[in-house]
Amino acid sequence: MLTRTAAMLILLATTGSALAQQTDISIGMVLEPPNLDPTAGAAAAIDEVVYANVFEGLTRFGRDGQIEPSLAESWETSEDGLTWTFDLQDGVTFHDGTTMDAEDVVFTLDRARAEDSTNAQKVLFEGIERVEAVDPTTVRITLAQPNGNLPFNLAWGDAVIVAPGSAENNATDPVGTGPFMFETWAQGDSVTLTRHDDYWGEAPALERATFRFISDPNAAFAAMMAGDIDAFPNFPAPETLASFEADPRFSVIVGSTEGETILAINNANVTDIRVREAIAHAIDRQAIIDGAMFGYGTPIGTHFAPHNPDYVDLTGMSAYDPERSRELLSEAGASDLSLRLALPPPSYARRGGEIVASQLRDVGIETEVTNLEWAQWLEQVFNGHDFDLTIVSHTEPMDINIYARPDYYFGYDDPDFQDMMARLEATAEPAERSAILKEAQEKIASDYVNAYLFQLAKTGVADARIEGLWENAPTQANDLTGVRWTE
């Protein structure tokens, strides 16, 4: 007969083993994606669900931002930099059982760069002149001019490889090559993924992952405390992080993101640079960081991440100076100015918008504030350009080149800047690229294209037994490939 002590030890060992073997996870997200196709949507929430989980590209971003092999196991470029050859992984299949080979890569890249492409980052593929399948596991990409950034461009979620037979349905029924398969989407509530048992690479420890959408900060806090959510990698209530830090059940994970949070200005409507500069000087960045983000965030003065080695601190060019703001408005004859401020759902935008509206009012600029749901924001602001001001965090990596796109939502059209980006794309030498990037930062700051607020911090909360979640966010993703439960 077992003694009581021996029985208890066996029970504890069994319990510990059960915990270690847990293979399902629930992940909290603030926003629900409008669709699940990263090649046909600009919303960060799409990649947060599917990047590296459901879909894979030739290359990928690693947890610290480095470019790593993915569906391409290796690549090389010609001496003139115009021809790139990618060697593909062998034995890769899509979730529907069809083979992934070089023809799928040709289809994907030709589709992304086609004239009628709906890809939100079509500019990534503009330099591609030709894509060829040399054999089933070899792809040759020919460029119009050298571009040392090609592996970086192909790591974006917008460049994941899709199949001709399923591409048109990926918005609602995504079929990729990743370690997880799409299972269900309960609209307004959650998306569930399950492990792909025929995955070509290393099998993940998790068998099932459910992404639950909770936009309200109070509800997010309650869900974590109750254990309804296992991890919330981008937690929307930073004011409550101290409570989690004091509770041994949780770990608080604070890192950096690629998210330049800006007060975007519609340059097609606000054409006078003096007015745009006045808006910039009216903004007290630290007050927004403290009031909306509870101290989490780094002030920025241009559209560039402070952790990037080529970052230039230009916050002084648009320092908080309400008196200067009033002078500029007077010079511009804009003494009775009213602007429409459209705010998407994230708390940094809604909370920050209240502070921005107050700061603008202090210098004589009235705002008509409208709260939009994410789909409305994409339709009205991003696609329709029907706004004067908006607050949004641009979480795409190294995306200063969006300022070279006259049709982009804030409507900046400057030939000199466009020339800078063309020179950057054609330059591979690191020192030359660095010089151009610094010049570009100074250009958009001096043109006061937008009012630059802060670099979004990554504030996450998770069950303390979970390991492998990303600390930083080099791209907009919740990569679950290395996530597991411990004892």
Side-chain angles (χ1 to χ4, degrees), residues 42-127:
I46 300 173
D47 277 0
E48 287 180 22
V49 174
V50 302
Y51 186 87
N53 297 325
V54 175
F55 290 107
E56 299 172 301
L58 294 179
T59 59
R60 57 159 290 164
F61 293 105
R63 62 190 305 124
D64 293 320
Q66 69 275 24
I67 302 302
E68 299 176 348
S70 187
L71 292 179
E73 62 180 8
S74 62
W75 54 88
E76 60 182 14
T77 183
S78 60
E79 285 188 14
D80 62 7
L82 294 176
T83 303
W84 290 74
T85 303
F86 291 83
D87 296 318
L88 306 183
Q89 305 281 357
D90 198 10
V92 179
T93 60
F94 287 97
H95 298 151
D96 59 6
T98 59
T99 299
M100 192 290 298
D101 60 22
E103 293 293 348
D104 295 300
V105 178
V106 174
F107 167 78
T108 296
L109 297 182
D110 283 349
R111 174 174 177 259
R113 66 194 185 94
E115 187 174 340
D116 61 350
S117 170
T118 59
N119 195 294
Q121 297 295 339
K122 188 177 176 180
V123 67
L124 293 172
F125 314 99
E126 285 181 350

Side-chain angles (χ1 to χ4, degrees), residues 342-350 370-374 377 390-392:
L343 301 175
S347 56
Y348 68 74
R350 296 284 172 88
T370 304
N371 290 334
L372 302 177
E373 292 307 308
W374 191 242
W377 187 90
T390 189
I391 296 177
V392 69

Side-chain angles (χ1 to χ4, degrees), residues 274-283 319-337 358-365:
R274 293 171 296 183
V275 175
R276 298 198 301 271
E277 183 178 355
I279 292 170
H281 284 301
I283 302 303
Y320 177 53
D321 188 346
E323 187 56 40
R324 177 59 180 154
S325 182
R326 296 184 190 98
E327 290 173 0
L328 286 163
L329 291 172
S330 178
E331 290 174 16
S335 57
D336 190 22
L337 185 61
S358 175
Q359 292 176 349
L360 292 176
R361 189 179 306 115
D362 287 345
V363 301
I365 301 174

Side-chain angles (χ1 to χ4, degrees), residues 108-309:
T108 296
L109 297 182
D110 283 349
R111 174 174 177 259
R113 66 194 185 94
E115 187 174 340
D116 61 350
S117 170
T118 59
N119 195 294
Q121 297 295 339
K122 188 177 176 180
V123 67
L124 293 172
F125 314 99
E126 285 181 350
I128 296 176
E129 195 169 80
R130 187 168 60 256
V131 187
E132 303 167 275
V134 178
D135 59 47
T137 58
T138 310
V139 175
R140 181 187 298 127
I141 299 177
T142 304
L143 305 180
Q145 60 185 16
N147 182 5
N149 236 25
L150 184 64
F152 176 90
N153 292 352
L154 296 178
W156 285 50
D158 309 80
V160 296
I161 304 304
V162 297
S166 54
E168 294 307 311
N169 298 320
N170 279 337
T172 55
D173 186 17
V175 175
T177 60
F180 294 94
M181 301 171 56
F182 170 72
E183 182 179 277
T184 58
W185 184 357
Q187 295 279 347
D189 181 70
S190 62
V191 167
T192 298
L193 309 179
T194 55
R195 187 165 66 189
H196 178 39
D197 290 333
D198 293 326
Y199 180 55
W200 62 269
E202 183 179 350
L206 297 174
E207 294 181 359
R208 185 182 182 88
T210 300
F211 294 86
R212 288 188 52 197
F213 313 121
I214 306 175
S215 59
D216 180 72
N218 293 326
F221 175 76
M224 281 299 306
M225 279 295 182
D228 297 332
I229 296 292
D230 298 318
F232 216 122
N234 294 288
F235 193 64
E239 68 275 19
T240 64
L241 291 180
S243 298
F244 291 108
E245 288 176 326
D247 191 327
R249 294 179 299 159
F250 302 102
S251 60
V252 173
I253 309 165
V254 178
S256 64
T257 77
E258 291 292 321
E260 291 86 17
T261 307
I262 65 175
L263 174 63
I265 303 172
N266 189 338
N267 284 231
N269 293 348
V270 186
T271 57
D272 194 321
I273 189 174
R274 293 171 296 183
V275 175
R276 298 198 301 271
E277 183 178 355
I279 292 170
H281 284 301
I283 302 303
D284 183 346
R285 297 182 179 94
Q286 196 58 51
I288 297 171
I289 292 170
D290 292 340
M293 304 305 297
F294 297 86
Y296 292 97
T298 304
I300 57 173
T302 189
H303 198 111
F304 218 74
H307 55 257
N308 191 295

